[in-house]
């Protein structure tokens, strides 16, 4: 079992910034894909940003220019730097990752979610 633990959510005023972190734990991990999704009340979960092991990134149009995804492969950690936050960014943010564990078993895991609230 590969566990993902998120941190960094909270309450921020419009225009502010937050940095989310997500660390994967488990033995012998080879992580390929890491990403962030979000789900606002009454809405479906949507992609925010993804990054591959080679550093290729993909962003939702709604966050381009305001959000940066990065990863530390040595720490099996992915980050989401969010700037110029808007009230419509309010949601529960979920980390996800996939890859191989112990060289034999494919995994796809999700974190428990961290709340981001943008409000004055």
């Amino acid at each position: 079992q590969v566990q993902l633990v998120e941190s960094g959510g909270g309450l921020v005023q419009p225009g502010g910034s937050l940095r989310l972190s997500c660390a994967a734990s488990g033995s012998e991990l080879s992580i390929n894909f890491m990403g962030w999704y979000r789900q606002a009340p009454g809405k479906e979960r949507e992609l925010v940003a993804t990054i591959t092991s080679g550093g290729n990134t993909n962003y939702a149009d709604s966050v381009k220019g305001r959000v940066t995804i990065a990863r530390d492969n040595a720490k099996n950690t992915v980050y989401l730097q969010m700037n110029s936050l808007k009230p419509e960014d309010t949601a529960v943010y979920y980390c996800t990752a996939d890859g191989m564990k112990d060289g034999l078993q494919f995994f796809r895991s999700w974190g428990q979610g961290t709340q981001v609230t943008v409000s004055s």
Side-chain angles (χ1 to χ4, degrees):
Q1 187 76 2
V2 176
Q3 186 177 12
L4 302 181
V5 179
E6 299 131 332
S7 60
L11 173 65
V12 63
Q13 292 186 343
S17 298
L18 279 177
R19 188 192 193 212
L20 307 183
S21 299
C22 172
S25 61
S27 62
E28 300 291 330
L29 297 181
S30 177
I31 300 177
N32 177 32
F33 165 94
M34 303 189 85
W36 291 92
Y37 286 70
R38 67 186 182 187
Q39 187 167 19
K43 295 187 176 181
E44 294 187 353
R45 190 173 297 190
E46 63 177 6
L47 178 147
V48 178
T50 63
I51 186 168
T52 68
S53 58
N56 293 318
T57 58
N58 181 46
Y59 295 94
D61 288 342
S62 59
V63 303
K64 280 181 180 177
R66 302 187 296 118
V67 165
T68 302
I69 188 170
R71 64 189 282 176
D72 184 333
N73 291 328
K75 295 182 179 179
N76 289 331
T77 299
V78 63
Y79 306 96
L80 190 71
Q81 177 67 45
M82 301 188 292
N83 302 321
S84 302
L85 282 162
K86 305 174 182 180
E88 50 263 45
D89 294 317
T90 296
V92 178
Y93 283 69
Y94 296 92
C95 169
T96 185
D98 72 24
M100 297 297 291
K101 184 178 183 299
D102 297 324
L104 297 174
Q105 183 178 10
F106 176 80
F107 74 90
R108 175 71 186 267
S109 295
W110 290 86
Q112 79 285 356
T114 185
Q115 177 69 46
V116 171
T117 302
V118 184
S119 175
S120 55

